[in-house]
Amino acid sequence: MLIKDILNPSMTFHINDMLRIESTNDRFLGPGRIELLEKIIETGSISQAAKLMGMSYKKAWDSIHSINQQTVTPIVITQAGGEKGGGTIVTDEGKLLIASFKQLHADIRLYFSEKIETFLQS
Amino acid sequence: MLIKDILNPSMTFHINDMLRIESTNDRFLGPGRIELLEKIIETGSISQAAKLMGMSYKKAWDSIHSINQQTVTPIVITQAGGEKGGGTIVTDEGKLLIASFKQLHADIRLYFSEKIETFLQS
DNA sequence: TCGCGTTATATATTTGCAAATATAACGTTT
DNA sequence: AAACGTTATATTTGCAAATATATAACGCGA
């Protein structure tokens, strides 16, 4: 008896490989927050980054606020008011987090793709 | 610059290691459905299994209906009416799915625990 | 034929969360 | 001091998902 003979062949199965790092009772990093941080680097602004992603400003702000609260070193630094009305930058620590997360994610996706393959063919 | 010096040391971080196997546009197997199948084996009944898990009967029924629709061989066989009012059994194919899923889940949890360790200490 | 406990299914209600909206505060520029 | 675009925060609205409720169908046994 084989797994592949049980599953409906007209359907394609996959593992949900979204990597999410969480702390005790809050989310920390996931694909969405990583993309948001990258868009903030591009635009220098939370509101513009949110708009670029089709995300509400509130959700974007909540996300970066959540991230900052879970680190000792700030990941983003915001300024309300000032030239161009203000803005937001991602710190070097933030950029390190982004790079490390993406590497970890790539590793896990690879491992998953191997595992699901053997599972579905077993 | 190190990840572990960025993160708040008063918080414990972990990877969300819930394994979910999905098809094109429906869930297939996750920890909840696995537990439900196991409780059905124990009790011989969807309703009793649901009650044991604190799950509504509708959600339980929807879950097993969804599973059965994604396989060519039925995973559970239900009977409405009959002695004791009816009942539900898990087929050998269902038991194979449970065992394979748990093995896969264990492998992934191990891999994750190694990965998150190096990530958090890097 | 009725009762029983179960599966099967529809409908209504509630709840939680995402989105939208509104407003305040901020600090440079003019 | 007024304008501007941004961050910051509260409030309201809308919607989807979970839950609850109700009812039907099923088939054996008394």
Side-chain angles (χ1 to χ4, degrees):
Chain A
M1 192 177 10
L2 297 173
I3 295 282
K4 71 182 173 63
D5 296 323
I6 296 173
L7 303 180
N8 189 328
S10 73
M11 295 175 171
T12 57
F13 293 88
H14 65 277
I15 291 180
N16 181 355
D17 60 0
M18 288 298 148
L19 171 63
R20 302 189 180 287
I21 298 177
E22 310 168 338
S23 66
T24 316
N25 47 3
D26 194 7
R27 281 180 256 181
F28 182 55
L29 280 185
R33 291 184 174 190
I34 291 294
E35 184 183 351
L36 178 63
L37 288 173
E38 290 178 325
K39 295 263 188 295
I40 289 174
I41 292 176
E42 284 175 39
T43 61
S45 150
I46 294 178
S47 61
Q48 286 182 47
K51 190 170 299 179
L52 227 54
M53 290 181 66
M55 179 186 287
S56 70
Y57 172 79
K58 175 175 170 28
K59 181 174 180 182
W61 188 89
D62 284 347
S63 296
I64 68 100
H65 182 69
S66 159
I67 293 172
N68 265 355
Q69 276 198 328
Q70 297 179 71
T71 58
V72 283
T73 314
I75 299 309
V76 308
I77 295 176
T78 60
Q79 184 188 3
E83 63 175 344
K84 290 187 283 182
T88 299
I89 63 164
V90 174
T91 64
D92 287 344
E93 287 79 6
K95 289 170 182 170
L96 172 64
L97 264 187
I98 294 173
S100 299
F101 181 92
K102 287 177 124 180
Q103 180 61 53
L104 182 58
H105 199 176
D107 290 350
I108 284 171
R109 287 181 73 104
L110 179 61
Y111 184 77
F112 268 10
S113 68
E114 292 166 355
K115 277 293 174 184
I116 189 75
E117 184 71 16
T118 46
F119 175 82
L120 293 177
Q121 295 305 322
S122 66
Chain B
M1 192 179 0
L2 298 174
I3 295 281
K4 70 181 173 66
D5 296 323
I6 296 173
L7 304 180
N8 189 329
S10 73
M11 295 175 172
T12 57
F13 293 87
H14 66 276
I15 291 180
N16 181 354
D17 60 1
M18 289 298 147
L19 171 63
R20 303 190 180 285
I21 299 177
E22 310 168 339
S23 68
T24 316
N25 46 5
D26 195 7
R27 281 179 256 180
F28 182 53
L29 280 184
R33 290 185 174 191
I34 291 294
E35 185 183 351
L36 177 62
L37 287 174
E38 290 178 326
K39 293 265 188 295
I40 289 174
I41 292 176
E42 284 175 39
T43 61
S45 151
I46 295 178
S47 61
Q48 287 182 45
K51 190 169 298 179
L52 226 56
M53 290 181 66
M55 178 187 288
S56 70
Y57 172 79
K58 177 175 170 27
K59 182 174 180 182
W61 188 89
D62 284 348
S63 296
I64 69 100
H65 181 70
S66 159
I67 294 172
N68 265 353
Q69 275 197 329
Q70 297 179 70
T71 57
V72 284
T73 313
I75 299 309
V76 307
I77 294 176
T78 59
Q79 185 189 2
E83 64 175 343
K84 289 188 285 183
T88 300
I89 63 164
V90 175
T91 63
D92 287 344
E93 288 80 4
K95 288 170 182 169
L96 173 63
L97 264 187
I98 294 173
S100 299
F101 182 93
K102 287 178 122 178
Q103 180 61 53
L104 182 57
H105 199 176
D107 290 350
I108 285 172
R109 287 180 74 105
L110 179 61
Y111 184 77
F112 269 10
S113 69
E114 292 166 356
K115 277 292 175 184
I116 190 75
E117 184 70 16
T118 46
F119 176 82
L120 294 178
Q121 294 305 322
S122 67

